[in-house]
Amino acid sequence: MDPLLIDDIATELLQIGQWLGQAEQGALVATQIQQRLTLLRASYQQQAPVKVFYAMSTDPLSTVANQAWPAQLLQACGADNIFADAKNDYPQPQLEQLLLRQPEVIVRASKEGSTKQEQFWQRYPSLPAVRKQAFITLEPDWVYRATPRMIDATQQLCEALQQYREPM
């Protein structure tokens, strides 16, 4: 089992249920997960876009694109990932590129209070996200592990992004 897409979580739950002799329970949980994901996409993908930078790290500066798990969450929530055009899943953009793209929200996954990251961002008040203090912190175990909690992270992200969207 090697899930690549967020939709693969439901498929894997179905398989696990079969392997454990609990096919009916596996199918029920898989259906619930897929329904939640479908509902999130339907609710948020048509919302007004908000320019987001997903901060994997600030030293070196790194983000997500394409099929990286956090990029899939951003896409499900209808966020405008400012580095979606990157060639690989985990690009390391130059600071100048980030400053030019002007993110309105900065998203990160962190367990501890990331004082070092916060200090880094405060040096760039020209970024709308910094000016507005528009930071969203997600639970890393929910974001980086292909489990049903990834859907919880998606919901948390979608709901948090709502406060930064301009009405259409």
Side-chain angles (χ1 to χ4, degrees), residues 84-104:
D85 60 346
K87 288 185 172 67
N88 63 49
D89 287 356
Y90 298 97
Q92 292 185 343
Q94 298 298 313
L95 180 59
E96 294 77 17
Q97 293 173 294
L98 175 67
L99 294 172
L100 282 172
R101 295 181 188 208
Q102 295 286 293
E104 299 166 304

Side-chain angles (χ1 to χ4, degrees), residues 22 36 43 48 64 95 102 119 122 127 132 138 141:
Q22 300 292 323
R36 281 185 67 200
S43 298
V64 297
L95 180 59
Q102 295 286 293
Q119 289 172 345
Q122 298 315 311
L127 293 174
K132 297 184 292 185
L138 302 173
D141 287 342

Side-chain angles (χ1 to χ4, degrees), residues 5-150:
L5 303 174
I6 194 169
D7 294 275
D8 294 342
I9 295 169
T11 305
E12 298 231 337
L13 289 168
L14 205 57
Q15 290 176 333
I16 290 169
Q18 292 170 348
W19 292 338
L20 296 175
Q22 300 292 323
E24 190 174 310
Q25 181 67 22
L28 176 65
V29 174
T31 299
Q32 291 170 341
I33 290 296
Q34 194 60 53
Q35 286 174 341
R36 281 185 67 200
L37 185 56
T38 300
L39 182 60
L40 285 168
R41 287 177 173 146
S43 298
Y44 293 100
Q45 284 185 338
Q46 303 305 315
Q47 298 286 327
V50 58
K51 291 169 61 174
V52 174
F53 176 71
Y54 188 95
M56 287 282 296
S57 168
T58 55
D59 186 25
L61 193 60
S62 60
T63 189
V64 297
N66 304 307
Q67 297 305 313
W69 289 115
Q72 292 182 51
L73 272 60
L74 291 172
Q75 186 178 23
C77 294
D80 179 9
N81 180 353
I82 64 169
F83 286 102
D85 60 346
K87 288 185 172 67
N88 63 49
D89 287 356
Y90 298 97
Q92 292 185 343
Q94 298 298 313
L95 180 59
E96 294 77 17
Q97 293 173 294
L98 175 67
L99 294 172
L100 282 172
R101 295 181 188 208
Q102 295 286 293
E104 299 166 304
V105 177
I106 296 171
V107 178
R108 59 190 170 206
S110 176
K111 276 191 182 285
E112 68 280 339
S114 43
T115 307
K116 186 177 175 186
Q117 262 199 28
E118 288 171 17
Q119 289 172 345
F120 172 85
W121 292 115
Q122 298 315 311
R123 296 188 305 224
Y124 304 102
S126 65
L127 293 174
V130 175
R131 258 194 325 274
K132 297 184 292 185
Q133 292 299 294
F135 295 95
I136 297 171
T137 302
L138 302 173
E139 170 62 44
D141 287 342
W142 292 9
V143 174
Y144 299 118
R145 299 175 200 261
T147 70
R149 292 185 303 176
M150 190 171 281

